[in-house]
Amino acid sequence: MGNERRRPLRDADGRSRSYAMSIASVLVPYRGGASSDAALGLALALCRRHGARLTGLLAHGRSDASRHFPAWLSQSARKTLIEAIATRGQEIAARFARRVEACEDIACEWIEAEGDPNRLAGGLARYFDITVLGVEEHEPLQELALDGGMLALASGRPLIVVPPSDGMPSRHDLGRPALVAWDGGRAAARALRDALPLLRDSARADVLTIVTGRNVAPANESVSAVGYLARHGIEARQHDREAGRAPVATQILHAAEEFGAGYVVMGAFQHPKLAEELLGGVTERILRETRLPVLMSH
């Protein structure tokens, strides 16, 4: 018994059934800007491809703002700020509704919640398979601002960060092969696992390792990121590149463009977030500079 090989599960038609998790629910923290619109468009395509339900979220700090007004602020000024947050929230909700009204084939809902936006979005994301967020946008009302890095840390779920699509809805395509940034670390392993439902859509990927001397070396070809993907029916090529003068984040993004990747898969914050912010770490730089969607997990 102990030496028997485990046979793969098979569907009724005889095809091998994947052990990969599925995507049934997608959360989009929506703020109404260009990046949010790109994230929503990508999320709708993802829901359509996987038959998932979409939830739009407006997380705002209206109640937090009223609790933290400085003592010297007049009552009229307090009222004006609260009204501005409410008006902005109504505009964002209406914009979301206009963009999903034509998607009758996708189950959609809209929810609002009051409190710290990052804490709220991070907590709610734990009840969804994946969260799709537009990159950090200029938001004059800080009570509506969100930080992608904080969501990746707080949620315990995969996060796709999406830059603006420059008016081209088809620019971001998760059906194209991905570039997997692989250093053998815990966060990279988590991201690789979390990305399986997306990676299987194209069945191909490029795995990039920036050789720094701190990488966790694979035991052999089968016990490696490429071998792991192969066991899930995903064809992958390994690319090893020596660390140069360019930052690792820049090398990753350049390689993604070179290989024609549709998106990047990477672990978030292999080092503490504060250290990355102070020293200009890989995750923070990717979030600032990416022109492609990035799936990250911590």
Side-chain angles (χ1 to χ4, degrees), residues 169-209:
S170 62
R171 174 172 176 176
H172 300 324
D173 182 6
L174 296 183
R176 290 163 55 194
L179 175 75
V180 177
W182 179 257
D183 63 0
R186 186 201 65 82
R190 174 70 183 273
L192 186 64
R193 169 61 176 160
D194 286 344
L196 281 178
L198 277 66
L199 293 169
R200 293 183 69 249
D201 287 340
S202 65
R204 287 198 305 113
D206 287 284
V207 178
L208 175 69
T209 297

Side-chain angles (χ1 to χ4, degrees), residues 227-248:
Y228 175 80
L229 291 174
R231 289 189 288 277
H232 284 277
I234 301 164
E235 178 186 352
R237 300 176 298 176
Q238 177 68 44
H239 307 269
D240 293 333
R241 296 189 173 177
E242 296 292 332
R245 293 185 178 180
V248 170

Side-chain angles (χ1 to χ4, degrees):
M1 292 291 292
N3 293 325
E4 289 183 1
R5 296 182 62 186
R6 181 181 181 183
R7 294 181 180 180
L9 296 176
R10 295 189 179 276
D11 294 322
D13 60 5
R15 291 183 301 179
S16 178
R17 188 191 307 171
S18 172
Y19 292 100
M21 56 192 170
S22 62
I23 296 176
S25 57
V26 179
L27 177 68
V28 179
Y30 187 75
R31 294 166 289 175
S35 292
S36 282
D37 286 340
L40 179 56
L42 187 146
L44 287 167
L46 187 63
C47 288
R48 186 170 288 113
R49 183 178 294 131
H50 291 268
R53 180 182 184 85
L54 175 74
T55 298
L57 167 67
L58 174 60
H60 54 74
R62 185 186 310 169
S63 57
D64 278 0
S66 61
R67 284 198 300 268
H68 295 97
F69 283 145
W72 50 262
L73 196 65
S74 68
Q75 288 296 325
S76 61
R78 296 167 190 240
K79 181 180 178 181
T80 298
L81 180 56
I82 292 175
E83 289 176 349
I85 297 172
T87 300
R88 177 71 176 131
Q90 292 167 4
E91 293 171 351
I92 291 172
R95 186 181 179 100
F96 178 89
R98 288 195 300 271
R99 278 159 172 72
V100 302
E101 63 182 354
C103 302
E104 297 180 353
D105 57 328
I106 299 173
C108 298
E109 65 176 340
W110 174 256
I111 59 177
E112 295 188 24
E114 290 188 10
D116 177 80
N118 288 304
R119 188 178 301 115
L120 278 170
L124 289 173
R126 297 168 192 162
Y127 299 96
F128 295 83
D129 294 315
I130 199 163
T131 297
V132 185
L133 176 74
V135 297
E136 187 174 350
E137 300 169 339
H138 173 68
E139 176 54 64
L141 294 174
Q142 286 302 307
E143 291 77 15
L144 300 174
L146 284 169
D147 182 310
M150 292 295 294
L151 260 64
L153 286 173
S155 67
R157 298 290 191 184
L159 170 72
I160 300 178
V161 179
V162 186
S165 59
D166 298 333
M168 296 181 287
S170 62
R171 174 172 176 176
H172 300 324
D173 182 6
L174 296 183
R176 290 163 55 194
L179 175 75
V180 177
W182 179 257
D183 63 0
R186 186 201 65 82
R190 174 70 183 273
L192 186 64
R193 169 61 176 160
D194 286 344
L196 281 178
L198 277 66
L199 293 169
R200 293 183 69 249
D201 287 340
S202 65
R204 287 198 305 113
D206 287 284
V207 178
L208 175 69
T209 297
I210 305 298
V211 181
T212 63
R214 298 189 301 271
N215 311 93
V216 179
N220 54 51
E221 187 173 342
S222 66
V223 184
S224 65
V226 169
Y228 175 80
L229 291 174
R231 289 189 288 277
H232 284 277
I234 301 164
E235 178 186 352
R237 300 176 298 176
Q238 177 68 44
H239 307 269
D240 293 333
R241 296 189 173 177
E242 296 292 332
R245 293 185 178 180
V248 170
T250 301
Q251 291 181 266
I252 292 172
L253 295 176
H254 284 175
E257 293 189 7
E258 175 187 342
F259 299 145
Y263 60 105
V264 174
V265 175
M266 62 176 286
F269 299 111
Q270 293 279 38
H271 306 288
K273 186 176 188 300
L274 179 59
E276 289 229 359
E277 290 176 341
L278 294 175
L279 302 176
V282 176
T283 307
E284 291 291 337
R285 187 179 288 270
I286 290 281
L287 288 172
R288 290 196 307 267
E289 299 179 3
T290 185
R291 298 175 61 189
L292 292 172
V294 179
L295 184 150
M296 54 177 58
S297 298
H298 177 71

